[in-house]
Amino acid sequence: IIESLFQPTSIIGIDQAGLVETIEDLLKPLNEDLKIKIAKNIVICGGLSKIENLSSRIHNELQAIFPTGTEINVIQTKDPHIG
């Protein structure tokens, strides 16, 4: 199931962007300084926070998108009700 969050088109046939692609699309219109600030403060909460190691996967895929050396911090809450 987790892979369908990253590749919905190829895994379950839904024509939409995956999770990291969606994050990238949201950041595109922002200036570089703001992108870097946001990359340091990504929080996973709600039902997604129950998926083990999701923050690591998002972190690793974002590292491939941002320039080398960009600090990326993805926090996954332990309680899905706390953001």
Side-chain angles (χ1 to χ4, degrees):
I1 290 179
I2 188 172
E3 199 57 37
S4 63
L5 293 171
F6 293 90
Q7 301 178 41
T9 303
S10 62
I11 301 294
I12 55 177
I14 296 175
D15 187 23
Q16 68 181 38
L19 189 55
V20 172
E21 187 179 352
T22 300
I23 294 169
E24 184 180 14
D25 288 346
L26 291 168
L27 295 176
K28 277 182 187 175
L30 305 177
N31 68 49
E32 290 303 311
D33 290 339
L34 190 51
K35 285 181 193 179
I36 290 170
K37 287 178 183 177
I38 290 173
K40 293 179 184 179
N41 295 290
I42 297 172
V43 178
I44 302 168
C45 58
L48 289 178
S49 68
K50 292 184 165 214
I51 299 173
E52 192 172 326
N53 299 318
L54 182 62
S55 59
S56 298
R57 173 77 183 267
I58 292 172
H59 179 271
N60 292 338
E61 292 201 17
L62 287 174
Q63 288 263 246
I65 295 169
F66 279 90
T68 303
T70 301
E71 182 183 345
I72 297 173
N73 188 26
V74 182
I75 300 166
Q76 191 165 340
T77 62
K78 297 193 185 313
D79 183 344
H81 300 100
I82 299 174

